[in-house]
Amino acid sequence: MGSSKGTKSKDNQNKDENEKDKKRESEKQRDERIEKVGQVTLDENVLNHKIHLITIIGEVEGHDNLSSNAKTTKYEHILPQLAAIEDSGEVDGVLILLNTMGGDVEAGLAIAEMIASLSKPTVSLVLGGSHSIGVPIAVSTDYSYIVPTGTMVIHPVRLSGMVIGVQQTFDYFKQIQNRITGFVCEHCQIPKPRLEELMMETGMLTKDVGTVLVGREAVEEGIICEVGGISDAIGKLHDMVSKKKGDTK
């Protein structure tokens, strides 16, 4: 009898050690994922909802690699992850945290279109700022928040490098501009004429054309849904997930 109890006790200890090792390995992988791509799946809460967190930070990087000293969001990391989220039976909702200066138009629009086409509930939260091509990403979710001190810079399309000064170039600029304004106006409440007016404002930025909207101003213009913080964003997302699960029953 004593030998049997001792064996069981040893088995239980080994089981506990294995569980601890698995937990440590899981936490290590989670930390590495946050460090490398700024993404993590949050632990299930009392509602048994699994929320996936994605961050859009620094400059949105397109086809060209930026300096190693610059903080960037690589679209080739974000797009596959969004596809995996859509196909996953475990992830219930997606939270997007934004603090971006903007970046590549094509990459930014690609991310925004992917987020907008997800069937899972999505919520965005603008923290420090979501400027330029960050605006379409911020409004691509089902619901959006901005912190009181968060900012959004609305300005026309700009191109770095050599520009050929012919009519076709300006037509191309206009086409890109229409793609951006069309997407933004389709996913929020601001009218297109008002958005274009904000883009072409000349009296606010000393060295550029455009408008800076701070916190509540972005809400009053109809770009962002509500002023709030992380607790508001997560709470809203859980409510949306609950309603979706209720609808499917």
Side-chain angles (χ1 to χ4, degrees):
M1 291 291 290
S3 175
S4 175
K5 285 183 179 179
T7 302
K8 287 183 179 180
S9 177
K10 191 172 182 180
D11 289 343
N12 288 336
Q13 288 178 0
N14 291 335
K15 186 177 179 181
D16 291 341
E17 286 298 323
N18 289 335
E19 288 179 355
K20 288 179 180 178
D21 289 340
K22 287 180 180 179
K23 186 175 181 181
R24 281 193 290 266
E25 183 63 25
S26 176
E27 290 175 349
K28 182 181 177 182
Q29 292 176 354
R30 175 174 169 154
D31 291 343
E32 288 177 350
R33 195 174 180 189
I34 294 174
E35 183 178 347
K36 289 181 179 179
V37 293
Q39 299 183 26
V40 66
T41 300
L42 304 180
D43 292 333
E44 291 186 11
N45 70 338
V46 292
L47 299 173
N48 294 321
H49 297 164
K50 267 203 170 182
I51 303 302
H52 191 87
L53 171 66
I54 293 178
T55 57
I56 308 294
I57 292 195
E59 188 169 353
V60 178
E61 188 176 84
H63 302 303
D64 298 324
N65 290 329
L66 298 174
S67 166
S68 59
N69 295 325
K71 287 188 179 295
T72 63
T73 295
K74 299 178 183 293
Y75 80 105
E76 67 267 28
H77 289 169
I78 302 294
L79 299 187
Q81 189 60 46
L82 289 171
I85 288 169
E86 177 61 27
D87 195 49
S88 172
E90 296 182 357
V91 176
D92 298 308
V94 183
L95 176 63
I96 313 288
L97 300 183
L98 296 110
N99 188 6
T100 176
M101 60 185 288
D104 187 272
V105 170
E106 301 286 349
L109 280 178
I111 293 172
E113 289 282 13
M114 282 283 281
I115 295 171
S117 63
L118 289 174
S119 63
K120 311 288 175 77
T122 55
V123 170
S124 64
L125 173 60
V126 176
L127 296 167
S130 186
H131 311 317
S132 189
I133 201 61
V135 176
I137 299 175
V139 304
S140 65
T141 54
D142 299 322
Y143 204 85
S144 57
Y145 286 91
I146 186 170
V147 295
T149 58
T151 58
M152 304 185 84
V153 176
I154 317 292
H155 66 73
V157 172
R158 295 177 297 197
L159 185 65
S160 60
M162 185 180 71
V163 177
I164 301 175
V166 295
Q167 185 60 44
Q168 291 90 330
T169 300
F170 298 108
D171 291 342
Y172 179 60
F173 270 33
K174 184 65 175 176
Q175 184 185 50
I176 296 174
Q177 193 77 52
N178 288 337
R179 289 166 61 197
I180 295 171
T181 55
F183 182 91
V184 171
C185 294
E186 185 179 343
H187 291 87
C188 67
Q189 302 301 314
I190 188 170
K192 190 173 181 181
R194 177 55 179 163
L195 180 61
E196 292 176 341
E197 183 183 341
L198 293 175
M199 284 181 168
M200 306 309 295
E201 171 65 41
T202 59
M204 179 170 285
L205 302 177
T206 57
K207 295 184 179 181
D208 200 356
V209 177
T211 302
V212 180
L213 301 175
V214 181
R216 185 162 297 281
E217 293 175 343
V219 177
E220 292 171 351
E221 291 288 354
I223 297 175
I224 298 296
C225 299
E226 191 176 339
V227 174
I230 187 66
S231 61
D232 301 298
I234 290 180
K236 179 68 175 181
L237 190 52
H238 282 304
D239 288 344
M240 293 165 66
V241 170
S242 295
K243 288 179 181 178
K244 183 176 176 63
K245 286 189 170 185
D247 291 340
T248 58
K249 291 181 179 179

